[in-house]
Every structure is written in C-alpha cells, then in structure tokens.
Amino acid sequence: MAIEIRIEGLTRDFGPVRALDDVSLEIAAGEFFTLLGSSGSGKSTLLKMLGGFDRPDRGRILFDGQDVTLLPANRRPANTVFQDLALFPHMSVAQNVAYGLRVQGIGRREQERRVGEALALVELADFGGRNVNLLSGGQRQRVALARALVMEPGILLLDEPLTGLDERLREQMRDEFGRLHQRTGATFILVTHNQDEALTLSDRMAIMHRGRIEQTDAPPRFFDAPANAFVARFVGIDALLVPEGIEAGGAAAVVAGQRLPVAGRAVPGALVALRPDRLALAPQGEGDAPLVLRIAEIQFRGLHSDIRARFDDGQGLVVRAPVDIAARLAPGDPLHLWVQPGGAVLVAPHAPSAR
Ligand code: ADP
Ligand code: MG
C-alpha cells in the first residue's frame, strides 16, 4: 500500500527564480517525511511536483521505481491536503469526502462505506450530514484529511496543514497526524515551517533553503551533527565560533587560546558549534579546564536568564542560566563553562548556492 519515492535532480525555474535547484531525495515506503524550511525555500513547489500539479524543468520522480514525472495528478497514487483546504462550500461533509470516489465512478454502496470509514478515522463519524460552512477550523481540517484519506492513497501530501489553526488545535491535530500515519501505513510527506511539528512527527526530515536541501536525516541528527552552519543556526545552535586551529585528527579545536574537545569532521573552514543544551555553568574555581569567558550582559527572561559572554578574542555566545544563579553574577565577571560530551561539534561553513 505504501509507496517508495525517489526524486532525482529536480530543478524548477519561475523566470529568474530557481524554486528548486537539483533536488535529490529518497523516501522509504511508509515513512513520515517532512520538508522543513522558511517561506520561499521551495517546499510547496516540491510537494506540487510529487502530487502531479507541476512539472520540473529537469529531473524525474519515481514511485516504486516507476517514472511518474509527467503523470497528471488524477493518475497518481497520491493525494494532497492543501493549505487552503479547498472544500466545496455548498456540499455536506459526506459529499465533500465522497467527491473523489464519485468522479472515479465508484458505486453508491462502496462510496458510503468508504466515506463512513474515512470520517470515523478523523473522528467525524456523526458529521456526515453537516454543511461544511458550519464547522470549526479544526473540523474543516479533518474533512480535508478525510477527503484525501478516502482515496486510500499510498502517498499523502500535506502542505502546511496546521498553519492557521490556534495553538491548542494545532497540537491536537499534530498528534492526530501521527495516529493517522500509523493507522493508514501510507507514506506521509509534510511541508511545514514549524520546527516543533517536524521534530515531533518525522521519521526523517529535510531542511530546505533557497530551493536546495541542506540536510536529510532523522531529527536528532540535526543537533548531533548539523551538516553546516546554516543548519546549525536553523535548529537554534547560535554559538558558532571560528577556531584558531583544529588538532590533527580533529579530536579537539582551539578557540581563543582554549582547547576544546570536539565531535564532527574537520573540513576546511570548519566552525565550532556549541549546543546550548550541552553547556553548563561551572561553579567558580572548579578545575578540569572549563571554558573561561567574560560576562558582557545579563538579561532576565522570565523562567531563565540569558548571559552574553565573550572570549578574549572578541567572539561571543549566549548561555541560558537559572535566574537565581545569574542574579549572583555581573558584567565583567568571569564565566566558567562546562561543555558536556558532544556539546562542541565541528560544522562545515555554509556554501552559498551558485545563484
Ligand atoms: P515555500 O512553499 O517553501 O514557501 P514555494 O515552493 O512556494 O516556497 O516557492 C519557492 C520560490 O518559488 C519562491 O521564491 C516563490 O516566490 C517562487 N514561486 C513558486 N511558485 C511560483 C509561481 N507559480 N510563479 C512564480 N514564482 C513562483
Ligand atoms: Mg509553501
């Protein structure tokens, strides 16, 4: 039922804008895969090509080994839930969900059975007769999902399906996607700019930027081994330091005269990324070579304080600290930092794309 997807060198230009730039990707059958990126990075363009709503200028798409690049949407085993839902306003919930089956000429009995199942799947079993205009935002979202699921697609494509819902509903629907994925066993591809959604739901995800994929991995890998400086910043690792040198073998780097064990690969121009979740304030005077910086500024942030500190060479970083501990420190004081194992990672500099 689930379908494996292979994307090879997809490129798509809109006039001077290269919306997709040589994108290649493999998605396993039944995987929950997310395209994550800021607005304009090319996510929807890629999703539309998978759905059959647009064609690439170069490259191809294979479903279970078959080239579908030129196949129109209605002949693909994929269904899309678009951001604007596009429900038929003059139809009932059941009529909306049945629409695709009717177009396919499926018999009335079979239609009713499958619509009933799809509505039950999204917990709208009793809503078949309602007018879609009278539903809440979350219920409309569920109808759009049922309308896609009723086609029993091997691939479900979701374009920012939670954007526009309020916080509580978003969390509820997000969990719903996880359950639907398990129940249907289909290959799910989610497009979102919301990192929480991506991290929570995905088996694997790709971070997109300017029509290119910066990294494809399981969610924890983006933190353990960000592919480059762009990815590190994107996932919230803001402390990116220029080392004076990297020891032969790449086990340690020297930053502002201080030696720091590092993970990752020593590529040319590598930066040292410090994970904020693996930094800890060391009690003053405790040895074992923690990093020593000088405090520049302390900002109260409610449940924690941000301490901005600098190395001797002027490079800086921000450390999150408990409010009571930060209150005992002042600008000008030394700041002793522990870097826990895996907290310092070498990352490649970000190579700007050719255009
Ligand atoms: P995302 O979904 O990540 O926000 P899109 O895939 O929608 O990004 O768009 C990627 C780039 O391609 C953007 O610069 C966008 O303006 C451009 N683009 C997308 N579709 C069209 C189109 N039909 N005509 C012209 N430009 C487009
Ligand atoms: Mg989009």
Side-chain angles (χ1 to χ4, degrees):
M1 191 53 210
I3 289 169
E4 171 198 278
I5 299 168
R6 198 182 158 95
I7 294 163
E8 296 178 349
L10 282 196
T11 296
R12 178 70 166 108
D13 290 331
F14 294 108
V17 177
R18 181 150 287 183
L20 287 181
D21 188 2
D22 194 21
V23 168
S24 295
L25 195 57
E26 280 173 46
I27 299 168
E31 201 170 16
F32 197 123
F33 193 92
T34 299
L35 299 169
L36 174 66
S38 48
S39 176
S41 56
K43 309 179 297 292
S44 293
T45 302
L46 180 51
L47 205 73
K48 279 181 196 147
M49 293 205 180
L50 293 172
F53 300 98
D54 191 15
R55 289 178 179 183
D57 296 312
R58 277 198 300 284
R60 53 181 205 153
I61 299 170
L62 303 152
F63 287 174
D64 278 344
Q66 287 209 334
D67 191 333
V68 298
T69 316
L70 302 179
L71 215 58
N74 59 9
R75 294 185 49 208
R76 296 193 189 196
N79 275 86
T80 307
V81 177
F82 290 103
Q83 188 172 347
D84 63 4
L85 305 185
L87 298 178
F88 302 114
H90 52 284
M91 291 186 191
S92 71
V93 168
Q95 285 167 337
N96 262 279
V97 177
Y99 182 80
L101 299 174
R102 230 173 65 211
V103 169
Q104 281 192 351
I106 307 256
R108 193 151 203 96
R109 276 297 236 320
E110 171 84 359
Q111 274 187 41
E112 273 171 24
R113 185 184 63 77
R114 283 169 65 176
V115 168
E117 278 177 15
L119 286 178
L121 210 54
V122 298
E123 285 163 22
L124 283 179
D126 299 331
F127 286 72
R130 297 270 185 104
N131 182 317
V132 289
N133 289 330
L134 301 178
L135 302 179
S136 70
Q139 289 167 335
R140 291 168 60 82
Q141 185 61 252
R142 288 201 162 98
V143 175
L145 263 173
R147 194 174 55 174
L149 291 170
V150 80
M151 305 310 289
E152 296 172 2
I155 301 172
L156 187 67
L157 306 170
L158 301 157
D159 195 350
E160 308 261 8
L162 302 177
T163 306
L165 299 182
D166 69 46
E167 183 69 26
R168 191 185 53 81
L169 209 51
R170 202 158 58 222
E171 273 177 30
Q172 195 181 323
M173 286 302 295
R174 187 188 66 197
D175 296 345
E176 189 86 22
F177 285 146
R179 282 193 291 273
L180 279 175
H181 177 240
Q182 291 189 331
R183 272 185 254 162
T184 61
T187 308
F188 273 42
I189 303 183
L190 170 71
V191 157
T192 184
H193 63 268
N194 182 310
Q195 195 177 308
D196 278 347
E197 258 166 63
L199 296 174
T200 310
L201 288 167
S202 316
D203 295 317
R204 287 189 312 142
M205 61 187 206
I207 289 186
M208 292 192 69
H209 176 58
R210 295 189 173 196
R212 298 185 74 98
I213 290 179
E214 298 287 349
Q215 183 168 356
T216 305
D217 252 321
R221 297 286 300 161
F222 289 83
F223 303 88
D224 295 340
N228 57 47
F230 174 85
V231 170
R233 280 198 197 91
F234 193 93
V235 300
I237 301 175
D238 293 314
L240 292 168
L241 307 169
V242 180
E244 283 158 26
I246 296 169
E247 283 179 10
V254 179
V255 174
Q258 305 185 49
R259 186 178 177 277
L260 184 62
V262 289
R265 282 198 320 131
V267 297
L271 301 169
V272 178
L274 293 182
R275 288 178 62 153
D277 58 326
R278 303 244 170 121
L279 292 181
L281 300 195
Q284 301 294 324
E286 199 161 297
D288 211 10
L291 290 179
V292 185
L293 296 84
R294 198 155 294 278
I295 296 174
E297 191 186 357
I298 300 175
Q299 261 183 342
F300 174 68
R301 312 276 296 189
L303 295 174
H304 69 272
S305 293
D306 279 339
I307 302 179
R308 186 175 298 280
R310 275 190 224 299
F311 289 95
D312 284 346
D313 69 356
Q315 298 198 77
L317 53 78
V318 176
V319 193
R320 179 177 280 211
V323 172
D324 57 337
I325 290 180
R328 283 183 242 134
L329 298 168
D333 287 351
L335 184 76
H336 297 252
L337 276 187
W338 291 111
V339 182
Q340 290 153 12
V345 188
L346 294 175
V347 298
H350 187 235
S353 62
R355 39 191 284 171

